[in-house]
């Protein structure tokens, strides 16, 4: 995500094929296994709308039908018995999303522990995320990692590759 933010590109419009292998796509949707699955998941599949929007109202009847077809395909392919379908849309303050692009998460627990879908973050989490984004913005504008303050470096060190 850091590379995309620094390059000012949407990671769901231009997915990185070295990290995301597309398993299904049609005219409206592209699906891949989440390369950063959460604990206690058998599957975590991302279904991203092919057009860059964060507005659920942008979908037309054909988009919804194609989503249904994509979901049916992935359920048949991976044979999961159940799970959750979470939609991330609109203001990320209300969906806890990291990427501002309309997408669905198909999450199937493996039964080894608690799984939850976060839809809102605590004010402290939002503040911390904003601090990280400010550092990324400095870097995007040309400040090298080495020229950041030690506090700024500590905020983004684990997110650098």
């Amino acid at each position: 995500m850091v590379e995309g933010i620094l390059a000012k590109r949407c990671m769901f419009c231009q997915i990185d094929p070295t990290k995301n292998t597309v398993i299904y796509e049609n005219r409206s949707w592209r699906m891949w296994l989440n390369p950063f699955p959460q604990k206690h998941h058998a599957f975590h599949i991302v279904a991203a709308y092919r057009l860059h929007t964060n507005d659920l109202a942008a979908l037309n009847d054909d988009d919804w039908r194609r989503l249904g077809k994509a979901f049916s395909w992935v359920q048949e392919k991976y044979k999961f018995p159940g799970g959750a379908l979470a939609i991330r849309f609109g203001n990320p303050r209300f969906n806890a999303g990291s990427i501002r692009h309309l997408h669905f998460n198909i999450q199937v627990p493996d039964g080894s522990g608690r799984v939850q879908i976060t839809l809102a973050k605590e004010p402290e989490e939002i503040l911390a995320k904003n601090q990280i984004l400010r550092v990324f913005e400095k870097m995007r504008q040309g400040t090298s990692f080495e020229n950041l303050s030690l506090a700024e470096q500590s905020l983004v060190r684990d997110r650098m590759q």
Side-chain angles (χ1 to χ4, degrees), residues 28-66:
S28 300
W29 302 95
R30 183 179 294 135
M31 300 174 89
W32 61 90
L33 294 170
N34 184 342
F36 308 105
Q38 297 174 356
K39 292 166 75 173
H40 313 302
H41 279 73
F43 295 102
H44 184 171
I45 298 166
V46 177
Y49 191 53
R50 291 182 71 108
L51 299 178
H52 185 75
T53 186
N54 210 19
D55 184 4
L56 195 59
L59 299 180
N60 62 39
D61 290 344
D62 287 335
D63 295 326
W64 285 106
R65 275 192 289 280
R66 288 184 193 115

Side-chain angles (χ1 to χ4, degrees), residues 16-160:
D16 180 347
T18 65
K19 294 183 178 67
N20 302 298
T21 301
V22 173
I23 57 172
Y24 180 92
E25 61 187 318
N26 61 35
R27 288 190 350 203
S28 300
W29 302 95
R30 183 179 294 135
M31 300 174 89
W32 61 90
L33 294 170
N34 184 342
F36 308 105
Q38 297 174 356
K39 292 166 75 173
H40 313 302
H41 279 73
F43 295 102
H44 184 171
I45 298 166
V46 177
Y49 191 53
R50 291 182 71 108
L51 299 178
H52 185 75
T53 186
N54 210 19
D55 184 4
L56 195 59
L59 299 180
N60 62 39
D61 290 344
D62 287 335
D63 295 326
W64 285 106
R65 275 192 289 280
R66 288 184 193 115
L67 178 64
K69 188 171 182 167
F71 184 83
S72 294
W73 180 89
V74 80
Q75 190 171 28
E76 176 62 29
K77 165 94 173 151
Y78 292 97
K79 309 240 184 277
F80 49 85
L85 182 64
I87 306 169
R88 298 220 188 263
F89 66 94
N91 186 329
R93 182 170 174 238
F94 296 99
N95 68 31
S98 300
I99 299 177
R100 294 180 180 204
H101 186 116
L102 178 63
H103 66 286
F104 291 69
N105 291 281
I106 302 168
Q107 294 179 251
V108 179
D110 64 11
S112 67
R114 180 184 169 105
V115 172
Q116 68 184 50
I117 298 169
T118 303
L119 291 178
K121 295 182 179 178
E122 298 292 332
E124 299 80 23
E125 293 173 294
I126 294 168
L127 178 61
K129 182 68 91 172
N130 285 338
Q131 290 172 331
I132 291 167
L133 290 174
R134 279 194 291 277
V135 175
F136 287 150
E137 180 61 17
K138 273 179 85 169
M139 293 175 70
R140 189 193 62 75
Q141 291 180 7
T143 303
S144 68
F145 180 80
E146 295 75 25
N147 288 330
L148 296 171
S149 71
L150 292 177
E152 290 170 328
Q153 288 180 8
S154 71
L155 286 172
V156 299
R157 180 174 286 112
D158 65 338
R159 292 170 171 80
M160 302 298 293

